C-alpha cells in the first residue's frame, strides 16, 4: 500500500492507494503541538475503512509521502532557532537592508499604499547576532584577503555564549570559491560540536548577495524545528509498524529523503501547496489537459498556481515572512481566503478575510468557542453544507449558532436578511478569489479561456462554481482526490534532486548578435558537471536508467534587470543553434510574462545561472475506481442560491453513487464524506470515467457571471 499525508492548518488529509489502484481518502482534525497525533488519527480512520487497525495498515505501507506546512508556520510564527550569522567584513547589514525590498515584501498589491501600516519584517537574525569576518574573494573566485581564522573562532565562541543554536555562513562571492565558508564550518564544528551549520555556497550557490544570505539564514533558522518534527513523525510511524520509505515533498514539485530535507529545510517552505499542484499535473496528464489553474481553498488560505504545457510555472525567488529565498520553487500565489475567513462589517461595508478563525476555535458552527462569522458559517446557513453530514457525519455542525452570528454581526448592521448576508459573504470571497485568478492569468499574459480549473481542498469544491464561473474558464474539474489532493500529490510525486551553478555571461547588446557572448563550451561543461551530480544522487537513492529524467534550465534576464526568467534548455549538444534558440525562447517568454512589445534585445542579455533537475519516476499504482451503474438516489433540500439570491429546490446526490457520464443539473450539491461539490443554478456537472467531477456553465446561462 502507498500513503500520502498533508497537514494543513485545520485538517490533516490522507490518501491511501493499494496495488490494484483502490483509493481511500480521509480527514482528521490537525492537532497543533502534536501533529503526529492527527497523522495517526487519519491513518486509523483509513485503516478502519479497509477493515484493519492502524498498525496493520502501516505494516503494509511501502512508501509514505508527506507534505508539510511546518517550515512555513515556523517563518510566519517566528519560532525558529536562535541563529547566528557570520558574514564578510563590511556586509553584516545585508539582511537588514534587504536590497530595500523589506518594506514591501509580501504586501498584497491592494495594500501597497497603506504606508502607515507597513512594517519591516521581524529579523530572523537580530543584528547583535551577526559577526563580520576579515576575508575577501573577488567575482572570479580569487582570494584577495585570506580568511582570519582566529576571528572566526572568536566570533563562534561569542555567538555560542549568547545562546545561538544554529549558524549561517554567507561570505561575498562564496559561490565562486567556497573554501572560506568550508573552513568556517570546520571551526564551528570544533567550537560547538553538533551545531547545525548552513553555508550559502551549498544552500544557494547563485549570484545575489542578499538572497543567498537570507536563504542560508532561513535554512538554519528552520532546521531544528523541521528536523525535530520530521524525526517525530518518522519515529511514530516506525514504532507502529511502518517499514517502508519515508519521503518529504519539497517546494519544487518532487519528494526527497528525510536526510536531504533535514539538510535543506528551506526547500520545504511551500511543501504543502506544492502537493496539490503536482497531484493536479499528474491527473491532468491522464485526462488530456495541458493548461491548468490549480486552486486550493482550505480553512485559512486560497493557493493558486499556473501550469502551462504540463509544466508548473517556477520562480527562482520566493518571499517567505518578508525575506527572499534563492531556490527554485513552484510559483504559488496565496491570499487569506478560506472556509475559516472571518466576515465583518467595517464602515458600513461587508469585508471577508484575510484573517481566519483557523482550526481552533474555528467557525461558529464548529461549536468550539468561535464567536465570529466565517465563510463556512455562511455556507451552512445557505444550505450548501449539510450540518448533519459534515465529515461523513463524524462532526455535527451548529446551524442555529452560525445563523445567529451572521444575523447579529452582518445582517442587522447592513439591513439584510440572514440569508442575504450569508450570500453576500460567499459572493465577496468568491470575487476575491476570482480577482487573484485574474492577476495570475490575465496579468501574466494568459487567457483564462485556454485553461481548466482544478478545484480541491476542503472548501475548493464548495466554491469553485463561483470563482471559476466569474473568471470565465470553460471547465472546472473537481478531482476524485479533491478532499485530500495535496496528500495525493505527495504520494504521486517523483523523487527529485536539483543542483545549480552561477555562470554569469553577458551577451548581445547594441548591434551585436543576441547570443554573442554566450560560450557554448562553458555552458556545456557546467551542465555536464551538474548532470553527473544529479545522477549520482539518484543512484544513491536506488533510481537508475530509464527511471531517471534530467531537465536543464538556464536563468536569463536583460542587462541591469534584477529578475530572471527560467528557460528550459533541451537535452543534447550545446551548439550555436542551441544558444540562438535559447535567446529566442527567452524573448518569447519575456513578452508572454510582461506584455507584447516589452522585449528589448538591444539592451543585451545576462545568463546568470544554469540548473539541472533529476526526477526519479515514482512507481505508484494509478487510481482504478469503478463507478456504480444504475440511477443514483436523489435527495432534496431548499437552499438560498447565492447568485440568484433566492430560495430554490436543490437536488442532493452522493458522489459515490454516481455512474460514469451521469449529468447533474444545478442547483445541486454532490456530497462526499470529506467535502461537498456545489453546482450553481446556471451550471451542469458530469462524472468522468475515473470518478472526477467536471462543471461547466450552461451555454444559455454564460451571462450570469460574465
Amino acid at each position: 500500500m502507498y500513503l500520502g499525508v498533508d497537514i494543513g492548518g485545520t485538517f490533516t488529509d490522507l490518501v491511501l492507494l493499494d496495488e490494484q489502484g483502490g483509493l481511500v481518502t480521509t480527514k482528521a482534525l490537525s492537532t497543533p503541538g502534536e501533529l503526529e497525533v492527527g497523522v495517526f488519527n487519519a491513518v486509523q480512520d483509513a485503516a478502519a475503512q479497509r477493515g484493519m487497525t492502524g498498525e496493520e495498515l502501516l505494516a503494509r505501507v511501502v512508501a509514505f509521502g508527506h507534505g508539510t506546512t511546518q517550515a512555513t508556520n515556523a517563518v510566519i510564527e517566528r519560532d525558529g532557532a536562535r541563529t547566528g550569522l557570520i558574514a564578510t567584513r563590511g556586509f553584516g547589514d545585508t539582511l537588514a537592508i534587504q536590497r530595500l525590498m523589506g518594506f514591501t515584501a509580501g504586501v498584497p498589491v491592494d495594500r501597497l499604499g497603506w504606508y502607515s501600516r507597513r512594517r519591516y519584517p521581524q529579523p530572523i537574525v537580530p543584528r547583535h547576532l551577526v559577526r563580520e569576518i576579515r576575508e575577501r574573494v573577488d567575482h572570479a573566485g580569487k582570494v584577495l584577503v585570506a580568511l582570519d581564522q582566529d576571528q572566526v573562532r572568536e566570533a563562534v565562541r561569542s555567538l555560542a555564549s549568547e545562546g545561538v543554536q544554529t549558524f549561517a555562513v554567507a561570505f561575498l562571492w562564496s559561490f565562486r570559491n567556497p573554501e572560506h565558508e568550508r573552513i568556517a564550518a570546520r571551526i564551528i564544528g570544533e567550537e560547538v560540536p553538533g551545531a547545525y551549520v548552513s553555508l550559502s555556497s551549498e544552500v544557494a550557490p547563485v549570484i545575489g548577495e542578499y538572497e543567498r544570505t537570507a536563504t542560508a539564514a532561513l535554512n538554519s533558522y528552520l532546521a531544528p524545528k523541521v528536523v525535530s518534527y520530521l524525526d517525530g513523525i518518522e519515529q511514530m510511524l516506525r514504532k507502529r509498524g511502518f517499514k517502508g520509505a519515508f519521503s518529504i515533498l519539497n517546494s519544487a514539485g518532487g519528494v526527497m529523503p528525510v536526510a536531504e530535507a533535514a539538510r535543506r529545510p528551506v526547500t520545504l517552505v511551500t511543501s504543502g501547496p506544492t502537493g496539490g499542484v503536482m497531484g493536479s499535473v499528474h491527473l491532468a496528464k491522464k485526462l488530456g489537459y495541458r493548461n491548468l489553474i490549480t486552486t486550493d481553498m482550505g480553512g485559512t488560505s486560497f493557493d493558486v498556481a499556473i501550469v502551462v504545457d504540463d509544466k508548473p510555472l517556477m520562480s527562482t525567488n520566493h518571499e517567505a515572512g518578508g525575506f527572499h529565498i534563492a531556490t527554485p520553487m513552484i510559483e504559488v500565489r496565496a491570499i487569506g481566503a478560506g472556509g475559516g475567513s472571518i466576515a465583518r462589517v467595517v464602515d458600513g461595508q461587508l469585508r471577508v478575510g484575510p484573517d481566519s478563525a483557523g482550526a481552533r476555535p474555528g467557525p461558529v458552527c464548529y461549536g468550539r468557542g468561535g464567536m465570529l462569522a466565517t465563510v463556512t458559517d455562511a455556507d451552512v446557513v445557505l444550505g450548501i453544507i449539510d450540518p448533519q453530514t459534515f465529515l461523513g457525519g463524524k462532526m455535527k455542525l451548529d446551524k442555529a449558532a452560525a445563523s445567529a452570528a451572521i444575523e447579529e454581526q452582518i445582517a442587522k448592521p447592513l439591513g439584510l436578511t440572514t440569508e442575504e448576508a450569508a450570500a453576500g459573504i460567499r459572493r465577496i470571497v468568491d470575487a476575491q478569489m476570482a480577482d487573484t485568478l485574474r492577476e495570475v492569468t490575465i496579468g501574466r499574459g494568459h487567457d483564462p479561456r485556454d485553461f481548466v480549473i482544478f478545484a480541491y481542498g476542503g472548501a475548493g469544491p464548495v466554491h469553485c462554481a463561483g470563482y471559476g464561473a466569474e473568471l470565465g474558464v470553460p471547465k472546472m474539474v473537481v478531482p476524485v482526490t479533491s478532499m485530500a489532493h495535496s496528500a495525493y500529490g505527495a504520494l504521486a510525486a517523483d523523487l527529485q534532486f536539483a543542483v545549480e551553478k552561477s555562470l554569469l555571461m553577458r551577451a548581445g547588446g547594441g548591434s551585436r548578435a543576441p547570443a554573442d557572448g554566450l560560450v557554448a563550451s562553458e555552458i556545456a561543461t557546467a551542465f555536464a558537471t551538474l548532470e553527473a551530480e544529479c545522477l549520482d544522487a539518484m543512484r544513491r537513492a536506488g533510481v537508475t536508467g530509464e527511471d531517471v529524467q534530467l531537465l536543464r534550465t538556464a536563468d536569463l534576464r536583460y542587462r541591469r534587470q534584477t529578475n530572471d526568467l527560467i528557460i528550459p534548455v533541451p537535452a543534447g549538444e550545446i551548439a550555436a543553434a542551441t544558444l540562438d534558440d535559447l535567446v529566442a525562447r527567452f524573448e518569447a517568454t519575456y513578452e508572454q510574462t510582461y506584455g507584447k512589445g516589452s522585449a528589448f534585445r538591444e539592451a543585451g542579455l545576462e545568463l546568470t545561472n544554469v540548473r539541472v533537475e533529476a526526477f526519479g519516476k515514482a512507481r505508484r499504482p494509478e487510481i482504478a475506481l469503478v463507478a456504480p451503474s444504475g440511477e443514483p438516489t436523489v435527495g432534496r433540500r431548499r437552499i438560498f442560491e447565492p447568485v440568484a439570491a433566492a430560495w430554490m429546490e436543490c437536488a442532493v446526490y452522493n458522489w459515490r453513487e454516481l455512474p460514469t457520464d451521469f449529468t447533474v443539473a444545478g442547483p445541486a450539491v454532490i456530497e462526499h464524506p470529506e467535502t461537498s461539490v456545489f453546482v450553481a443554478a446556471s451550471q451542469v456537472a458530469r462524472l468522468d470515467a475515473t470518478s472526477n467531477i467536471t462543471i461547466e456553465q450552461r451555454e444559455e446561462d454564460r451571462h450570469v457571471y460574465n
Side-chain angles (χ1 to χ4, degrees):
M1 293 188 174
Y2 304 82
L3 268 180
V5 167
D6 176 69
I7 301 178
T10 307
F11 291 104
T12 294
D13 299 338
L14 179 146
V15 168
L16 170 70
L17 273 180
D18 61 28
E19 56 189 347
Q20 285 79 39
L23 174 71
V24 172
T25 62
T26 190
K27 287 178 176 287
L29 284 168
S30 296
T31 49
E34 296 179 295
L35 293 176
E36 65 275 9
V37 174
V39 170
F40 190 65
N41 288 342
V43 169
Q44 284 183 306
D45 190 76
Q49 294 186 48
R50 296 299 299 257
M52 60 181 75
T53 66
E55 287 80 2
E56 289 171 337
L57 172 60
L58 287 174
R60 297 175 60 180
V61 173
V62 297
F64 190 115
H66 181 33
T68 175
T69 58
Q70 193 72 356
T72 308
N73 294 341
V75 175
I76 294 172
E77 296 164 7
R78 285 297 195 271
D79 61 352
R82 189 173 176 84
T83 301
L85 171 64
I86 296 177
T88 300
R89 183 178 179 180
F91 293 86
D93 291 318
T94 295
L95 274 185
I97 297 172
Q98 294 186 265
R99 286 209 289 117
L100 303 181
M101 297 189 296
F103 205 51
T104 57
V107 179
V109 174
D110 60 336
R111 298 184 195 176
L112 286 174
W114 296 5
Y115 298 104
S116 63
R117 302 190 189 185
R118 290 190 194 174
R119 297 290 185 274
Y120 285 102
Q122 179 184 338
I124 48 176
V125 180
R127 188 61 181 86
H128 71 276
L129 295 181
V130 177
R131 298 292 184 273
E132 299 182 9
I133 304 298
R134 284 188 296 272
E135 70 87 37
R136 196 61 180 266
V137 173
D138 70 8
H139 70 282
K142 179 182 177 182
V143 176
L144 301 180
V145 178
L147 177 69
D148 188 330
Q149 298 187 32
D150 291 337
Q151 195 176 30
V152 173
R153 199 172 298 276
E154 180 183 340
V156 173
R157 290 172 180 171
S158 170
L159 290 170
S161 70
E162 293 199 44
V164 162
Q165 301 166 281
T166 63
F167 294 82
V169 184
F171 290 150
L172 206 61
W173 297 106
S174 60
F175 60 92
R176 294 291 195 200
N177 183 347
E179 188 59 25
H180 284 181
E181 287 195 350
R182 292 171 180 171
I183 294 172
R186 175 178 56 78
I187 293 173
I188 293 170
E190 293 170 355
E191 294 294 331
V192 189
Y196 192 97
V197 183
S198 297
L199 304 183
S200 72
S201 56
E202 294 181 355
V203 177
V206 295
I207 194 168
E209 173 205 344
Y210 156 60
E211 289 85 352
R212 189 160 38 84
T213 302
T215 305
L218 274 167
N219 198 66
S220 286
Y221 181 78
L222 298 173
K225 185 169 185 177
V226 171
V227 171
S228 173
Y229 161 73
L230 294 177
D231 285 346
I233 292 284
E234 185 170 21
Q235 288 177 21
M236 180 275 291
L237 295 171
R238 303 293 182 195
K239 287 178 181 178
R240 296 180 182 273
F242 173 62
K243 298 182 178 64
F246 182 52
S247 54
I248 311 301
L249 185 70
N250 63 28
S251 302
V255 293
M256 59 174 66
V258 173
E260 179 65 16
R263 191 175 74 85
R264 298 190 68 188
V266 73
T267 61
L268 306 182
V269 166
T270 59
S271 167
T274 295
V277 179
M278 297 313 299
S280 299
V281 170
H282 186 78
L283 180 59
K285 288 179 180 178
K286 306 297 179 185
L287 300 179
Y289 304 125
R290 303 199 65 191
N291 297 332
L292 319 175
I293 305 171
T294 68
T295 60
D296 180 359
M297 184 181 181
T300 304
S301 66
F302 179 65
D303 300 327
V304 179
I306 301 296
V307 178
V308 178
D309 293 334
D310 301 330
K311 299 288 191 300
L313 296 188
M314 304 290 290
S315 172
T316 55
N317 280 304
H318 178 82
E319 180 274 329
F323 292 88
H324 297 80
I325 302 171
T327 183
M329 298 181 179
I330 291 177
E331 194 170 310
V332 178
R333 173 75 184 276
I335 64 169
S341 292
I342 295 169
R344 51 173 58 90
V345 176
V346 180
D347 297 329
Q349 294 184 330
L350 175 57
R351 296 185 181 176
V352 182
D355 50 333
S356 172
R360 295 184 183 276
V364 176
C365 61
Y366 281 14
R368 293 180 170 172
M371 303 297 290
L372 300 176
T374 68
V375 171
T376 297
D377 293 314
D379 289 331
V380 170
V381 168
L382 294 171
I384 293 171
I385 293 178
D386 186 344
Q388 300 304 312
T389 60
F390 189 73
L391 281 185
K394 292 182 293 185
M395 182 177 175
K396 306 297 183 183
L397 303 182
D398 190 339
K399 181 176 181 178
S403 182
I406 291 177
E407 181 181 11
E408 289 297 321
Q409 298 168 28
I410 310 298
K412 286 184 178 179
L414 295 177
L416 303 172
T417 67
T418 302
E419 291 77 20
E420 287 171 340
I425 293 171
R426 182 181 170 97
R427 292 213 61 178
I428 285 175
V429 77
D430 287 352
Q432 290 174 174
M433 291 185 287
D435 284 345
T436 300
L437 296 178
R438 291 187 187 97
E439 289 177 21
V440 299
T441 52
I442 297 171
R444 297 287 297 271
H446 300 292
D447 187 338
R449 293 170 295 186
D450 296 333
F451 289 76
V452 173
I453 278 183
F454 272 58
Y456 50 92
V462 183
H463 283 262
C464 66
Y467 62 73
E470 188 164 324
L471 182 66
V473 295
K475 184 180 293 185
M476 292 155 276
V477 176
V478 181
V480 67
T481 55
S482 63
M483 59 295 300
H485 200 52
S486 291
Y488 172 65
L491 181 153
D494 295 332
L495 185 69
Q496 188 257 4
F497 182 80
V499 286
E500 56 190 332
K501 176 181 176 62
S502 181
L503 193 69
L504 183 60
M505 293 181 181
R506 293 186 172 91
S511 60
R512 295 172 64 193
D516 183 12
L518 300 181
V519 184
S521 59
E522 291 186 25
I523 296 173
T525 299
F527 274 132
T529 301
L530 297 178
E531 287 174 353
E533 190 174 343
C534 283
L535 290 173
D536 184 58
M538 286 289 142
R539 196 177 301 112
R540 292 196 304 271
V543 184
T544 58
E546 294 181 355
D547 287 341
V548 179
Q549 179 187 15
L550 296 178
L551 298 178
R552 307 190 301 190
T553 57
D555 297 345
L556 283 89
R557 64 192 182 196
Y558 285 114
R559 287 194 193 180
R560 296 181 177 85
Q561 292 191 332
T562 56
N563 294 317
D564 300 322
L565 291 176
I566 302 175
I567 308 300
V569 179
E573 180 187 3
I574 303 293
T578 311
L579 300 180
D580 290 338
D581 179 64
L582 179 66
V583 171
R585 282 186 288 111
F586 163 72
E587 292 185 333
T589 304
Y590 192 94
E591 291 207 344
Q592 184 184 55
T593 303
Y594 298 110
K596 189 171 181 60
S598 59
F600 185 49
R601 63 168 52 184
E602 289 81 3
L605 305 175
E606 290 182 344
L607 185 153
T608 56
N609 305 301
V610 292
R611 183 181 303 104
V612 174
E613 290 182 90
F615 290 92
K617 186 175 181 180
R619 297 196 174 274
R620 308 280 191 268
E622 296 297 333
I623 297 173
L625 297 180
V626 179
S629 57
E631 290 294 313
T633 303
V634 185
R636 298 284 174 182
R637 71 169 176 257
R638 277 169 55 80
I639 70 164
F640 192 84
E641 216 281 353
V643 177
W647 287 102
M648 292 186 177
E649 191 75 11
C650 172
V652 181
Y653 296 90
N654 183 329
W655 191 336
R656 292 173 171 175
E657 292 181 358
L658 298 182
T660 301
D661 292 330
F662 187 80
T663 299
V664 174
V669 175
I670 304 171
E671 293 186 335
H672 185 280
E674 282 97 40
T675 192
S676 295
V677 182
F678 177 63
V679 185
S682 57
Q683 296 170 339
V684 292
R686 292 180 179 85
L687 194 82
D688 70 17
T690 50
S691 295
N692 308 292
I693 293 173
T694 60
I695 302 174
E696 298 178 81
Q697 199 81 357
R698 288 196 188 103
E699 190 65 36
E700 63 272 22
D701 289 324
R702 292 191 184 277
H703 68 279
V704 171
Y705 280 90
N706 301 324

